[in-house]
Amino acid sequence: EALVESMRSQDVVPLSEAAEALRESEASVNADTLSRVTAAASEMLGQAFAGSGGSLFPGFPFVHYVYARAGVGLTDPGRILEDAAGRAFDAQSISAGEVVALEFSGESGASMLYAVSLGGTRVAYVDTSTGYIVSGDLTSMPFSNAYVWNFSQP
């Protein structure tokens, strides 16, 4: 009952305000932020990531974590699809620190994997079979589609 009362009190931030605060946080991303994100992701290579198991959006907890370490709160992972609409994907033009979502097609349907660009064509992501942070080269990954949450472009 105390929790319900607390939630009804005026001290609780309405969901619409929380969502707006996250969008403002996303809008503050700049080159310095992307540099901090890249550094955080690079530092984690080879480490186990506890938040990777059973995720509806594989890799997004890792992406969310490295952005939080850089001082940015991200909204939902679906935003990458909204922001990438109409943009041609080019692995060579991704800025270090940007979020990359890779879509893989298989017999059981399509799946997504969220990653952080390390610069060039390299990305850091959670290997879903081991739970460890690894890096890969986009030019050799068998994805069918890719999307970039490109903070460096309007």
Side-chain angles (χ1 to χ4, degrees), residues 97-114:
E98 290 181 319
V99 180
V100 179
L102 303 171
E103 182 179 348
F104 296 89
S105 298
E107 292 178 13
S108 60
S111 64
M112 298 292 287
L113 176 66
Y114 288 80

Side-chain angles (χ1 to χ4, degrees), residues 26-114:
E26 291 168 3
S28 72
V29 171
N30 57 29
D32 183 53
T33 307
L34 294 176
S35 178
R36 290 193 313 269
V37 167
T38 304
S42 295
E43 288 171 10
M44 295 185 69
L45 290 173
Q47 297 182 27
F49 189 77
S52 62
S55 174
L56 180 60
F57 300 101
F60 192 74
F62 165 67
V63 170
H64 194 262
Y65 176 77
V66 294
Y67 268 83
R69 280 189 50 190
V72 175
L74 297 179
T75 56
D76 67 278
R79 285 281 311 279
I80 192 169
L81 300 176
E82 294 170 16
D83 291 350
R87 282 195 206 142
F89 174 78
D90 178 8
Q92 302 294 333
S93 67
I94 300 170
S95 296
E98 290 181 319
V99 180
V100 179
L102 303 171
E103 182 179 348
F104 296 89
S105 298
E107 292 178 13
S108 60
S111 64
M112 298 292 287
L113 176 66
Y114 288 80

Side-chain angles (χ1 to χ4, degrees), residues 5 11 38 68 82 88 113 121 127 135 138 143-145:
E5 280 303 312
D11 294 340
T38 304
E82 294 170 16
L113 176 66
T121 59
D127 182 316
S135 68
L138 290 171
F143 57 87
S144 54
N145 286 306

